[in-house]
Amino acid sequence: MSSAAAFSYAPLLPTGPDQTEYRLVTDEGVDVVNGPGGRRFLTVEPAALTALTAEAMHDIAHFLRPAHLAQLRSIIDDPAASPNDRFVALDLLRNANIAAGGVLPMCQDTGTAIVMGKRGRHVLTDGTDAEAISRGVYQAYTRLNLRYSQLAPLTMWDERNTGSNLPAQVELYAEDPDGHPDAYKFLFMAKGGGSANKSYLYQETKALLNPTRMMQFLEEKLRLIGTAACPPYHLAIVIGGTSAEYALKTAKYASAKYLDALPTQGSMSAHGFRDLELEAEVLELTRNFGIGAQFGGRYFCHDVRVVRLPRHGASCPVAIAVSCSADRQAVAKITPSGVWLERLETDPARYLPDVTEAQLDNSEVVRVDLNRPMDEIRAELSKYPVKTRLSLTGPLVVARDIAHAKIAERLDAGEPMPQYLRDHAVYYAGPAKTPEGYASGSFGPTTAGRMDAYVEKFQAAGGSMVMLAKGNRSAQVTRSCQTHGGFYLGSIGGPAARLAQDCIKHVEVLEYPELGMEAVWKIEVEDFPAFIVVDDKGEDFFAEVTKPVLTVGRR
């Protein structure tokens, strides 16, 4: 064997200076005390951690980063963007403006609370940091109009909503953040199920590490992400890693722009780095998918981060993650000067363009009256091709996972399809809490694919003939719609606050009230935006845009 290399150390993810703009949350609960050897220590009370967390979870539910909003505006201003790209971007900007009012959260899936912290060696707490942070999560979710999504496993098969959105995922590290021993720094995230479900791990080999094969691999895998997680995405790709779980975690951080200040070249210190050239090439690759901002166009992604990590010679993990249109994260810090939180945009209206509906090809919108009999609604939809933009007005039935399972059990027992699923289109959704004076809380669409297994059974029994949700469906759904004369309509993923304020006029429980947000609801909508995605002729918009077309490798 050759002689060992000289010892050298570099952090796996060395980041540059912190360029974040912060705002002061409080200067209470922090102090500086003298310690042995002339050292000075920052003391942090549990109440300061709780207050910071509650404030952070509030902000990321209602506000976005200025850079994200600027990217949405740039889609509207881009002459190469498709009309559907611009329509989605404008709807997301309007949604951000409503959410910034602090009443309706930007997305109905207010997410799993994820907190990562790095505590410097001269920071003293009472040791209950995770509990204090969790208390802040609890305060935010129980006091605000947010949704409880966490399920406690009671047995292997039985589970129950915790009623508080706890537990949070809290990860704390003993590390001087940015070289400061008297600082405590954090990343706060709210990760919805649709976005989290689009995290992927692939175990590859050295054979992947050449330009042609890499681009072929990425085209295949990135198309599979689909639109269920509400694009345009902030896409992160991590190649390599000391373990599979480290690759996945790095991808999550990169999707939150937390690793933007990584080096842009590698070295024999074996640290991670960003490949800016590959980032640009992958972004252009996604521009050519045709998927666009959900319903055709260029803007499948806002941007791309590619991080290259060291690896064991026998392993080459590849992790892919996205941050969705509810781009919910903020960094924070506690220093001797106080408790600080990233300044998010509280006035997103300044990113709204002076644009009329006519400029968005509003003349091509087909208005559908949902008060008509189901056969008439289907006959109307049958006149138009996939990708047609619709405006829906009238009653919808709302049902998703648990309600579908219960109805399937009834069908299996020989009971008839509930009349409400025969008479009305079904919207896959689950609302957040309803603020006082509102018809509903934030009420955006759920990932359609979770209900795919029920479609054939339900349509054969005369129900679910028109479905409304977000994202692509499986081939079995397309076949069922062709066989039974059904339709799947895509709703814009992301603008849950705007739908609640502008489109949903009445909400009532039809069945299973004990299921909370998973109950069967009946809602009245007005000018609810949608697109024909799967029709009664077996056409599926997403079937074409998921086919690889790349014929050349990386230049």
Side-chain angles (χ1 to χ4, degrees), residues 30 32 43 113 193 243 253 255-256 291 347 362 368 386 415 458 477:
V30 297
V32 177
T43 64
S243 64
Y253 293 161
S255 73
I291 299 173
D347 183 24
N362 196 50
V368 179
V386 295
E415 298 179 35
F458 282 25
V477 171

Side-chain angles (χ1 to χ4, degrees), residues 86 91 115 165 196 253 294 388 394 410 412 508 533:
R86 291 193 289 272
D91 221 34
V115 184
N165 214 55
Y253 293 161
Q294 305 188 31
T388 298
R410 286 157 58 174
D412 290 340
E508 62 181 281
V533 176

